[in-house]
Amino acid sequence: MARRRGWRRRIVLLLVLAMVGGAVYTAVAFLQRSETLVTEGCKVPGADEDLATDQAGYAALISAVAVRRGLPARAASIALATSLQESKLRNIGHGDEAGPDSRGLFQQRPSQGWGTEAEVMDPYHATNAFYDALVKIPGYESLPITAAAQEVQRSAYPGAYAQHEPTARAFASALTGQSPQSLDCTLRAPDAAGDPAAVQQRLTSAFGALDAGTEGRTLTVQARDTRAWAVAQWAVTNAKSLSITAVAVDGQTWTRSDHKGWQPGDAPAGQVSITVAAEPAK
């Protein structure tokens, strides 16, 4: 009898352990799939830091304006290093002790002729104003990034821009299309439906007129080479705000849900396909 009780205890213990183990495995699997554990952000190889999604969106805008104006990627690198130092790539509505009236992505001062307060708070105006000043500097393309930035900004801390050079160069290279399939954003699932027309409107504001058309939830943009990759990686950085779920270009596809970055696909050369989310299930 004692021997039978011992075996029964062992069997019960094994069953309990199996149940606990199964519960732990289920809990771990659930947590691994849970959207709450996804840390959102964007990264590029060679950058010293990742960018939050709002920062990456502004980085994409600054780089797109450089592409629209026909400026080299170096110009975007200078602009990004400047904005990283001045505002942490955010459109902030306040200044500091050195410039109490400074505003926007580049902390431009209305009192120094950068525009009205409303204008310097407009990212498009602020970015174009920065480039207007930059292109007036003879040989800015060959200057060190921090030196070119200082020529525009006239900062009290002229060497401060240098610390942002690796991140600025890496993101500028990706977002101007010079470094294909290099930018990746890790995002949670969309919480709202996307609108291809809204994507096209934002793209046009950034890059200018584009040959594009919509079919269902997909916007297709006709573009080649570096322009195609500039548009594609712009779309990835704006995927959160525009509920974009997939981007396909030149034999590569970025899919929001798989968190694997760019993967081989069947996208033809000469066009960028941007797909937005359907209405989320209730």
Side-chain angles (χ1 to χ4, degrees):
M1 290 293 292
R3 182 174 298 176
R4 287 182 181 177
R5 291 194 191 99
W7 278 109
R8 287 173 183 171
R9 291 193 188 101
R10 290 177 187 175
I11 291 171
V12 170
L13 178 60
L14 288 172
L15 287 172
V16 170
L17 289 173
M19 292 172 64
V20 171
V24 170
Y25 175 83
T26 301
V28 170
F30 172 78
L31 288 172
Q32 287 175 337
R33 295 193 300 269
S34 174
E35 288 289 305
T36 61
L37 294 184
V38 174
T39 300
E40 296 189 314
C42 300
K43 61 184 179 181
V44 176
D48 281 350
E49 58 184 307
D50 296 345
L51 298 181
T53 55
D54 62 324
Q55 293 176 301
Y58 286 125
L61 168 62
I62 290 169
S63 301
V65 173
V67 171
R68 180 176 185 171
R69 294 176 60 134
L71 299 176
R74 183 73 169 181
S77 297
I78 296 166
L80 291 182
T82 302
S83 187
L84 279 164
Q85 173 59 29
E86 297 291 352
S87 69
K88 298 188 186 327
L89 262 174
R90 290 191 163 102
N91 196 34
I92 57 179
H94 59 82
D96 53 29
E97 293 180 2
D101 65 333
S102 301
R103 298 288 186 275
L105 287 172
F106 299 95
Q107 286 291 277
Q108 294 161 336
R109 302 181 65 180
S111 63
Q112 294 184 349
W114 288 100
T116 65
E117 182 172 338
E119 286 174 333
V120 299
M121 283 297 296
D122 175 359
Y124 296 92
H125 173 93
T127 299
N128 276 297
F130 180 88
Y131 287 135
D132 287 344
L134 179 66
V135 298
K136 293 176 182 177
I137 300 168
Y140 76 87
E141 303 98 320
S142 59
L143 290 175
I145 287 177
T146 191
Q150 173 61 8
E151 284 290 321
V152 175
Q153 297 296 105
R154 302 294 181 184
S155 170
Y157 307 98
Y161 305 105
Q163 64 188 312
H164 303 293
E165 287 188 17
T167 298
R169 283 198 304 268
F171 274 91
S173 185
L175 291 167
T176 58
Q178 302 298 317
S179 296
Q181 62 196 75
S182 58
L183 183 144
D184 182 29
C185 294
T186 301
L187 304 171
R188 302 185 188 102
D191 56 10
D195 180 2
V199 176
Q200 184 171 1
Q201 182 180 26
R202 286 266 292 275
L203 263 173
T204 302
S205 295
F207 287 95
L210 295 167
D211 181 3
T214 299
E215 182 175 347
R217 294 186 291 110
T218 298
L219 173 71
T220 301
V221 180
Q222 305 302 318
R224 288 188 173 276
D225 304 324
T226 57
R227 174 70 63 115
W229 276 103
V231 169
Q233 295 187 125
W234 175 95
V236 173
T237 64
N238 285 278
K240 180 178 175 66
S241 62
L242 292 169
S243 293
I244 293 168
T245 57
V247 182
V249 58
D250 199 17
Q252 295 288 321
T253 300
W254 176 88
T255 305
R256 178 175 181 152
S257 61
D258 67 13
H259 301 164
K260 293 180 180 178
W262 291 97
Q263 299 292 312
D266 57 2
Q271 65 181 41
V272 183
S273 296
I274 304 168
T275 301
V276 301
E279 189 71 37
K282 299 298 183 183

